[in-house]
């Protein structure tokens, strides 16, 4: 059974780049599909990836870990009763940064894993922005991909999404069948960009 | 399944870019930091350098048994009184001792010295103190017992008795956090 399904679905160019995941691990499946989306937009369509959101989160995390490590070092060099004011400062800053991180992920990132910039060839106009958010409910097989397109010139915002079972993109062994998934992503993408041309 | 033979759990790690790898390490750092900051926060609130301790010996039975978790405070303004249970450090010993205060002497200039004894011990603690030391000072005190949770510290005792067990658990947890992508 297993080998048959594999020959049916695995793309012909099954090279060593074949992505294989643990098919019972929901987040691994989601990550693999997110990465595949990224590959289509960035590598195949030539959009530029914007790392601003991720960099923001990294900065917040680095700063909070920095506070903790500083507190640890200071407390080691100046044992407890002396280090009290520094500890108070570091502990409050750390928990404040944790609050900031929670706000950042829920209000700013909102589960967004890819911001792709469609740059103007002449380099005059600001780029059109594609934002992708994906969602898999816990213990669920339905993968939802939301795409948002912001046109730089008209400021028009368009959204689209599709929901498919992950079973359509992975074979029984957990190999990603990227051809099947790419079709869906391209459909989503062309749906939004063709709308642009009709206007 | 978790297919160790194919190392597919490492495959996920291999597919990450620089930012994701760095975030993976930060994630691990933040788990450690959160625990550390909660501990340091407790230190500030209770005034004790070690606000939670585990009873390692049976010298205070039947008040405390091995594995009981004690919650300590160490406020400057509260005086040490006879009958209180204090946790103190002795020079040359790594592990603090939990015993009851037997005698207290206070001078008018604020100098305090006191003697302790374990409820379950036949004699007072002078034999445990540093050679030549007859009394404890306020600076020796780590904290005073304010509350306890019975038996939950038994895990700590196990880890103390079998250090390899402790390192194995820590290594496994660390590895899991590092290679597991959220």
């Amino acid at each position: 059974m297993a080998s048959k399904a594999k020959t049916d679905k695995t793309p012909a160019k099954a090279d060593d780049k074949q992505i294989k995941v643990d098919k019972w691990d929901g987040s691994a499946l989601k990550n693999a599909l997110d990465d595949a989306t990224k590959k289509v937009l960035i590598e195949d369509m030539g959009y530029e990836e914007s790392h601003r959101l991720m960099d923001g989160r990294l900065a917040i995390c680095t700063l909070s870990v920095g506070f903790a490590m500083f507190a640890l070092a200071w407390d080691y060099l100046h044992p407890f009763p002396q280090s009290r004011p520094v500890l108070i400062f570091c502990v409050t800053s750390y928990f404040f940064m944790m609050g900031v991180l929670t706000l950042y992920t829920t209000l700013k990132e909102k589960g967004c894993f890819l911001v792709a910039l469609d740059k103007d060839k002449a380099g005059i106009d600001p780029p059109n922005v594609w934002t992708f958010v994906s969602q898999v409910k816990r213990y669920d097989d339905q993968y939802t991909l939301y795409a948002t397109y912001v046109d730089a010139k008209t400021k028009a915002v368009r959204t689209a999404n599709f929901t498919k079972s992950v079973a359509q993109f992975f074979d029984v062994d957990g190999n990603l069948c990227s051809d099947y998934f790419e079709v869906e992503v391209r459909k989503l993408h062309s749906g939004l960009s063709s709308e642009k041309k009709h206007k | 399944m978790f297919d160790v033979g194919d190392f597919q759990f490492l495959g996920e790690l291999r597919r990450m870019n620089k930012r994701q790898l760095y975030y993976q390490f930060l994630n691990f750092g933040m788990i450690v930091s959160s625990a550390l900051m909660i501990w340091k926060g407790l230190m500030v609130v209770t005034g004790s350098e070690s606000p939670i301790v585990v009873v390692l010996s049976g010298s205070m039975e039947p008040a405390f048994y091995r594995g009981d978790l004690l919650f300590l405070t160490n406020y400057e303004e509260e005086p040490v009184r006879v009958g209180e249970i204090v946790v103190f450090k002795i020079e040359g010993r790594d592990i603090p001792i939990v015993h009851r205060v037997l005698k207290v002497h206070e001078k008018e200039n604020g100098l305090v010295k006191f003697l302790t004894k374990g409820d379950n011990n036949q004699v007072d603690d002078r034999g445990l103190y540093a050679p030549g030391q007859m009394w404890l000072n306020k600076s020796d005190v780590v904290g005073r017992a304010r509350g306890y949770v019975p038996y939950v510290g038994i895990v700590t005792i196990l880890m103390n008795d079998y250090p390899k067990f402790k390192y194995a658990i820590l290594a496994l947890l660390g590895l899991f956090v590092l290679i597991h992508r959220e």
Side-chain angles (χ1 to χ4, degrees), chain A residues 19-22 24-25 31 35 51 55 57-58 61-62 65 68 71-72 75 80 84 88 94 98, chain B residues 1 6 8 12 15 19 22-23 26 30 33-34 36-38 40-41 43-44 47 49 180-182:
Chain A
I19 290 164
K20 191 180 178 201
V21 297
D22 168 18
W24 300 116
D25 183 347
N31 287 332
D35 287 346
H51 294 290
D55 286 346
R57 175 146 56 120
L58 288 179
C61 295
T62 310
V65 172
L72 184 67
D75 193 47
F80 171 62
R84 199 178 136 91
I88 293 175
Y94 180 81
M98 286 293 106
Chain B
M1 294 294 151
D6 287 350
Q8 67 183 59
E12 224 185 330
R15 285 197 299 275
R19 281 184 173 80
Y22 179 53
Y23 183 66
L26 273 183
M30 286 205 300
S33 302
S34 293
L36 192 76
M37 287 292 99
I38 290 172
K40 300 282 178 205
M43 273 167 66
V44 169
E49 62 187 275
H180 195 80
R181 180 175 164 190
E182 276 177 48

Side-chain angles (χ1 to χ4, degrees), chain A residues 20 28 42 48 68 78 88 93 121-122 143 149 152 154:
Chain A
K20 191 180 178 201
I42 306 301
E48 193 174 305
H78 311 266
I88 293 175
S93 313
K121 293 280 187 307
Y143 177 84
Y149 172 78
T154 60

Side-chain angles (χ1 to χ4, degrees), chain B residues 41-160:
Chain B
L42 272 179
M43 273 167 66
V44 169
V45 171
T46 61
S48 166
E49 62 187 275
S50 169
I52 293 170
V53 294
V54 172
V55 180
L56 293 178
S57 80
S59 66
M60 278 300 281
E61 289 178 16
F64 298 133
Y65 290 89
R66 262 168 74 83
D68 287 359
L69 203 72
L70 298 187
F71 179 69
L72 312 180
T73 63
N74 190 20
Y75 300 121
E76 281 293 315
E77 60 276 10
E78 289 181 7
V80 177
R81 287 288 170 258
V82 169
E84 275 184 328
I85 294 165
V86 293
V87 178
F88 54 90
K89 268 188 175 162
I90 300 293
E91 258 178 72
R93 278 175 186 269
D94 301 334
I95 300 169
I97 301 172
V98 188
H99 279 171
R100 198 182 293 276
V101 178
L102 202 65
K103 290 178 182 172
V104 177
H105 294 284
E106 281 177 333
K107 282 191 178 168
E108 289 198 353
N109 62 5
L111 210 70
V112 181
K113 56 181 187 177
F114 55 94
L115 178 69
T116 55
K117 175 183 172 297
D119 287 1
N120 201 23
N121 289 353
Q122 297 294 322
V123 292
D124 62 38
D125 287 347
R126 285 204 171 120
L128 293 173
Y129 297 165
Q133 186 181 6
M134 301 296 278
W135 302 94
L136 292 177
N137 295 318
K138 258 198 160 171
S139 57
D140 297 322
V141 177
V142 174
R144 264 162 284 177
R146 291 288 170 214
Y148 84 112
V149 189
Y151 303 124
V152 288
I154 203 75
V155 185
T156 315
I157 290 191
L158 278 178
M159 287 191 180
N160 223 25

